[in-house]
Amino acid sequence: MICRYDYIWPNHPFEFIVPFQKLNVLRKSKKHFYVKTPSGICDTVLELIKDMADEEWIYWAMDDRYLADVDPSYMEKIIGFIDSTESHGVDGVCPIRIRDLLKNSIDLDNPVYTSFGKAFNRTDWEQIWLHQFLKVKVLRFFFTELSTVLDGPAKDMDRLKRDIRMDYNLLVTEKTHVAFWETLSRGKAHKNTKFHCFIHGIKPSSEVQFTENQIRMGPIYTSSLRMKFDRFLWRHLQKFV
């Protein structure tokens, strides 16, 4: 996931905080920091943010999906927004509008106009797993509440999140400005994951099982040479991996 951000958006402003339980080798970089955490997802997230202020903005990026395409200039507009006083009273901005965020989980009747364009208020926690800008207090509340009811596998989170109240001002952009590949489903990695590991020189563990599934979320297609080349490789080389 980090490799794809570095490749597709080499000038991104993010510093990734990576949780771990056991590591043999740490990837040394000024943009990567490692924090030892418990293994459960709720405890992991709460440990990562325990010293952060509630009002601090972060870029929430789970590694079960990774970057497929991005409009850097638009993302920079969002970053400018959250760094300004205009963002007061806003608790999150999601730059990808797909699935439930097309109509079921947003307030279409009351659009919000911002310096980065038209947006909509979200009405529930749907698609909280997407990469997006959030204030720390949103994640702290969500995973604290989830930790009280989650006693099974992580896949139960999608069902359990529907019972958690959502009192935050979370926005989603009118259009999609970033796209992702899904890494895996039900513990098995997708074909797109195998392919992108191959072209980036990443050797998956022998324990990883791959399927022929390919899942791409948010099909924007930017015209940068880097992205054109990336799409060329996908179209012409995937059958050989």
Side-chain angles (χ1 to χ4, degrees), residues 152-163:
K155 66 181 181 181
D156 290 346
M157 294 189 298
D158 253 340
R159 171 179 55 84
L160 295 170
K161 74 179 188 300
R162 297 168 190 158
D163 297 325

Side-chain angles (χ1 to χ4, degrees), residues 55-115:
E55 295 297 320
E56 184 176 349
W57 282 94
I58 62 171
Y59 187 65
W60 166 239
M62 294 178 66
D63 65 356
D64 59 350
R65 45 190 53 97
Y66 60 89
L67 203 59
D69 202 350
V70 65
D71 180 350
S73 61
Y74 190 88
M75 295 289 276
E76 288 167 5
K77 290 181 181 179
I78 297 178
I79 293 170
F81 167 82
I82 66 177
D83 283 341
S84 72
T85 56
E86 186 188 1
S87 67
H88 289 178
V90 176
D91 302 313
V93 180
C94 181
I96 175 172
R97 190 167 166 224
I98 60 170
R99 298 179 180 176
D100 295 287
L101 296 180
L102 289 173
K103 60 180 180 180
N104 294 334
S105 297
I106 59 175
D107 183 2
L108 285 169
D109 296 326
N110 298 287
V112 179
Y113 296 92
T114 74
S115 57

Side-chain angles (χ1 to χ4, degrees), residues 46 49 52-58 89-92 125 134-144 167-170:
L46 293 173
I49 63 175
M52 298 181 184
D54 275 350
E55 295 297 320
E56 184 176 349
W57 282 94
I58 62 171
V90 176
D91 302 313
W125 294 106
L134 293 171
K135 285 186 175 177
V136 167
K137 64 182 180 183
V138 177
L139 288 179
R140 181 169 285 135
F141 170 80
F142 179 75
F143 281 99
T144 297
D167 297 328
Y168 295 98
N169 186 13
L170 306 183

